[in-house]
Amino acid sequence: MSCELKDKERVGVINPIFTCQPAGAQYASIGIKDCIGIVHGGQGCVMFVRLLFSQHFKESFELASSSVHEEGAVFGACRRVEEGVDVLLMRYPHIKVIPIISTCSTEIIGDDIDGVVRKLNEGLLKEKYAGREVHLIPIHTPSFVGSMVSGYDVAVRDFVSYFAKKDSPNGKLNLITGWVNPGDVTALKSLLSAMQIDSTVLFEIESFDSPLMPEGNHVSHGCTTIEDLTGTANAAGTVVLNRYEGGKAAKFLESEFGVLATTVPTPIGIRNTDTLLQTLKKITGKPIPQSLVRERGIAIDAITDLTHLFLADKKVAIYGSPDLVIGLAEFCLDLEMRPMLLLLGDDNPGYKDDPRIKELLEKVDYKMEIVTNADLWELENRIKNDGLELDLILGHSKGRFISIDYNIPMLRVGFPTYDRAGMYRYPVVGYVGAMWLAEQMANTIFTDMEYKKNKEWILNMW
Ligand code: SF4
């Protein structure tokens, strides 16, 4: 009995875990200030993604579509991008950054978005918008390659490579968070602040948890500025928290500008947060303050109360973004839980070389499956037909019906989460995230014990 890494054996997908590459590029684009992306494709490529963002954050975000129709699909639709850029610039006088995000259809018909950008730079921008700062950035995200995860990775690289410019060292640290929630950004900034590290957080999306103000506000925006992106070339180093969601940008900065890139294990759980802090200490020379030692101690105390009595030996299935899934699995193992099935929703050939997956393959001494290119049927089929018994599911809202239909408690983690309130506000990273995750897993199991009248009396004595 050991851990096994394998590809889904079926052709086709039943209940996908991920959506497509342009979604990732759109998520990156909404993290930038004064930016509205144009997705070059059918309107649905924006409509459904924007809906997911709104469902997850209960906020509204601005994204545009070139809205390709039959004529464009047959004869080419570059003209629609040209018109789209003009309309955006006319309608939004503050907009400075417009990524042109390709899709499956426009990549297949061969629309040359790089050529369109050159043409607009030479024509429309000089003639009609002379003196206005406008950046048009082509981002290629065909949906028949990768997933929303790789689309995010590509877009972060393209934004960074477009803006990064060598100047004098700024002494800052680039922290590329990956596709995380506002609560994660708050927690990470708190760690950096406690260590007195001056940083550029990419992307600064804490503001996605937006207030409703008296003057009225209809949309949410990220706060990463052009200056932030330009300065990434002058940083003391780059730390990547999710290797599949920001790794490309870090590599670019290292190869192009000599900015040292360090990829840490996604800081989910005590062990991985320790590694992050030790890495930050090594790069910056800043000590780990007593306040963080205390924060760690509080988390460990909370976790110790739960692990042996309630979490040990609980069988878990985890699905979603690879860095999140692997980080959660590592944390569950530290809590003496038994991750049985890890589902990664795309076929990235790099998974087999991921040191974290290699470690799982080497060290796990019971039957654990890691399935790539997976869908939610991989989970449902094992429960329904193969006798997989689970105590807990960790994943986003798209798997909710498996939890409901098979009576398995589920903690919502990852994107999109729309069937529980306010989850984006709570971090899964850092010591506070470790504590929150352990407590939420325990509370989910407690509710299930009560609902099923399964040793619920223990909770009286605890
Ligand atoms: S699969 Fe293609 S058509 Fe569908 S949303 Fe993605 S890019 Fe658009």
Side-chain angles (χ1 to χ4, degrees), residues 19-23 26 39-46 48-49 102-106 141-144:
T19 183
C20 54
Q21 283 214 108
Q26 290 175 71
V39 179
H40 186 32
Q43 217 161 282
C45 308
V46 171
F48 292 110
V49 172
S102 71
T103 59
C104 54
S105 57
T106 51
T141 44
S143 64
F144 41 81

Side-chain angles (χ1 to χ4, degrees), residues 30 57 59-62 207-210 217-222:
I30 58 176
F57 293 109
E59 305 285 356
S60 201
F61 296 89
E62 286 173 319
S207 53
F208 285 2
D209 188 4
S210 306
N217 53 311
H218 310 294
V219 289
S220 298
H221 297 281

